[in-house]
Amino acid sequence: MPRATALILILAGLCGSSLGQYNEEEDLAWLQYYLRQSRVSSYNYVPYYEEESPAYAYSYPSATDTEPEPEPQPQQATPWRCPQECDCPPNFSSAMYCDTRNLRYLPFVPSRMKYVYFQNNLITSIQEGAFDNATELEWLALHNNQIGSEKMGKRVFGKLQRLERLYMNNNNLTRLPSPLPRSLRELHLSYNQISKVPANALEGLENLTALYLSHNFIFEMGASLKGLPSLILADLSYNNLRKVPDGLPASLEQLYLEYNYINAIPDDYFQVSPRLLYVRMSHNSLTNQGLSSNTFNSSSILELDLSYNRLQKIPRVNTNLENLYLQGNQINEFSISSFCSVVDVMNYSRLQVLRLDGNEIKRNAVPPDAPLCLRRATVIEI
């Protein structure tokens, strides 16, 4: 009996398997996977589901070989084949793990794959047609690499019509990838070098619910958010914006604009988003002159962070607001009318947390009717 066949029989017997259960190609694929895994101590590959940790929160053995990666060898596009640089667990056959392996290129992606992880490598480019064979992809993790916009094919994502989540944060992108699949639900592009988002850059992404663009150099957004009818979360913090984006989608619930240079907000700006719950605009350049009396008088907002701006007065807020952060401004008076237009037993604010520390208000400046208006407050810092 040939040695290779004998080895297959022995290994199959140890695992309680029967060669009669598999065909010849599957035997070889299983043996290849077993031998490859014997070179590492253990692995813990768990498929991601929405109720679990994020898709990129995996822990794998670090690559032990520090030599430069060899050039990829052409592989036949058979349904079962897994690139030798990666792992494709038999119990999760639609996932391919190629992360944290010092890869400098993208290996071949078999057509059956739905979840592919290339994060934490040294990849600098994505060649045209890299994913043309893997049209079933739903998750694609490319974060923590060195991918530049000039080294990406013009339509690398063009055939991924089922892609829902694209992770490209922590790369060297200078512009948004385009075109993007209309099926996208989450787009992660934080920690890049993007400076501008053209008005049509996100056009057609009707299913997009979460957009992460923080820690870039964006100085202009235009009306790029307005055409996203499913958007729930927009994170534009830590950029160079000097004005708020033109128009918000009605579906928006979370808006993060902290650490920018915004100094004004148009009247009724938040009224077009009746589901908006959380607004964070700390560390900007907001002044009372740049706000109207009704800017933040939105009945849906529950948390408003305006800390570390240049406000001299407490802006008027809706009585439904629950958390208001104003620390680190230049406020010098405690105006109860900012919270309650009428103060009596039936009219009061739902505010629970109020931060006014780091301003110019004196403790004895709190008006006597404040306890009646702010009867729900459990934390007031002055």
Side-chain angles (χ1 to χ4, degrees):
M1 181 184 297
R3 293 180 62 187
T5 305
L7 180 58
I8 293 173
L9 287 170
I10 293 170
L11 292 174
L14 290 174
C15 297
S17 305
S18 171
L19 284 176
Q21 297 174 334
Y22 307 94
N23 59 37
E24 182 179 356
E25 286 186 342
E26 289 173 330
D27 290 338
L28 293 176
W30 177 84
L31 177 60
Q32 181 188 40
Y33 176 79
Y34 182 90
L35 294 177
R36 188 164 62 248
Q37 284 304 114
S38 68
R39 295 197 293 266
V40 296
S41 57
S42 64
Y43 70 88
N44 181 27
Y45 298 120
V46 181
Y48 170 82
Y49 299 99
E50 291 195 7
E51 64 270 22
E52 298 175 356
S53 56
Y56 44 84
Y58 287 88
S59 177
Y60 311 109
S62 301
T64 56
D65 187 359
T66 58
E67 295 296 324
E69 292 288 336
E71 290 298 318
Q73 297 298 319
Q75 297 189 24
Q76 184 180 358
T78 53
W80 52 264
R81 184 181 294 277
C82 184
Q84 62 181 1
E85 306 90 344
C86 308
D87 284 299
C88 308
N91 62 338
F92 193 36
S93 61
S94 59
M96 186 171 81
Y97 301 94
C98 312
D99 60 297
T100 320
R101 296 159 200 258
N102 289 324
L103 294 180
R104 298 176 183 272
Y105 58 86
L106 286 173
F108 165 78
V109 182
S111 59
R112 74 175 187 273
M113 294 303 170
K114 294 182 179 180
Y115 313 94
V116 179
Y117 303 92
F118 291 115
Q119 71 268 26
N120 304 324
N121 280 297
L122 303 172
I123 300 169
T124 59
S125 62
I126 305 178
Q127 64 273 23
E128 193 71 61
F131 306 112
D132 284 3
N133 183 63
T135 55
E136 300 296 311
L137 276 181
E138 296 179 13
W139 294 57
L140 179 56
L142 290 161
H143 51 286
N144 296 331
N145 278 286
Q146 301 173 15
I147 302 169
S149 295
E150 69 284 353
K151 294 186 178 181
M152 288 181 58
K154 293 182 179 180
R155 298 187 61 85
V156 291
F157 306 123
K159 294 186 178 181
L160 303 182
Q161 297 306 309
R162 297 189 179 184
L163 191 67
E164 294 184 356
R165 290 171 173 83
L166 176 60
Y167 298 86
M168 294 196 72
N169 37 303
N170 285 286
N171 275 285
N172 297 325
L173 299 177
T174 55
R175 60 180 180 272
L176 267 68
S178 180
L180 290 165
R182 292 174 178 263
S183 54
L184 270 185
R185 292 176 55 194
E186 292 185 13
L187 179 58
H188 298 254
L189 294 172
S190 299
Y191 292 94
N192 276 284
Q193 302 170 23
I194 300 169
S195 59
K196 186 178 180 180
V197 180
N200 62 345
L202 302 170
E203 188 176 5
L205 301 184
E206 297 184 355
N207 298 305
L208 193 68
T209 60
L211 175 64
Y212 298 90
L213 282 168
S214 68
H215 294 87
N216 277 280
F217 303 102
I218 300 172
F219 66 89
E220 183 177 343
M221 284 290 297
S224 54
L225 300 182
K226 194 173 184 180
L228 302 174
S230 301
L231 192 66
I232 293 175
L233 184 153
D235 187 355
L236 304 171
S237 58
Y238 292 88
N239 276 288
N240 294 329
L241 292 172
R242 297 186 178 276
K243 57 178 294 188
V244 291
D246 294 334
L248 299 177
S251 57
L252 197 65
E253 295 180 8
Q254 302 176 51
L255 177 63
Y256 304 135
L257 288 165
E258 60 263 40
Y259 287 92
N260 278 283
Y261 300 93
I262 300 169
N263 57 22
I265 303 174
D267 191 19
D268 298 329
Y269 179 71
F270 299 110
Q271 303 299 323
V272 297
S273 301
R275 300 178 183 176
L276 193 60
L277 299 173
Y278 306 101
V279 177
R280 296 177 184 172
M281 300 192 67
S282 67
H283 297 273
N284 275 279
S285 302
L286 290 173
T287 65
N288 290 97
Q289 290 72 31
L291 306 175
S292 74
S293 59
N294 287 314
T295 298
F296 300 113
N297 191 15
S298 170
S299 61
S300 65
I301 299 177
L302 298 180
E303 180 177 294
L304 177 60
D305 189 351
L306 300 174
S307 59
Y308 301 99
N309 277 279
R310 300 176 184 174
L311 299 174
Q312 295 180 319
K313 296 181 179 180
I314 301 174
R316 183 183 177 187
V317 295
N318 194 273
T319 55
N320 288 330
L321 188 69
E322 295 181 357
N323 300 289
L324 177 59
Y325 302 97
L326 289 166
Q327 67 269 26
N329 278 278
Q330 303 167 14
I331 299 171
N332 53 26
E333 64 174 310
F334 194 117
S335 52
I336 201 66
S337 60
S338 297
F339 309 103
C340 300
S341 56
V342 176
V343 181
D344 56 31
V345 176
M346 301 300 296
N347 295 282
Y348 55 90
S349 171
R350 276 72 175 173
L351 204 66
Q352 298 176 17
V353 176
L354 174 60
R355 292 281 307 273
L356 285 166
D357 45 309
N359 281 281
E360 300 174 10
I361 301 175
K362 296 180 181 180
R363 289 183 176 273
N364 59 6
V366 178
D369 52 355
L372 188 59
C373 170
L374 303 176
R375 68 186 71 173
R376 290 248 182 122
T378 57
V379 175
I380 297 179
E381 293 283 347
I382 298 179

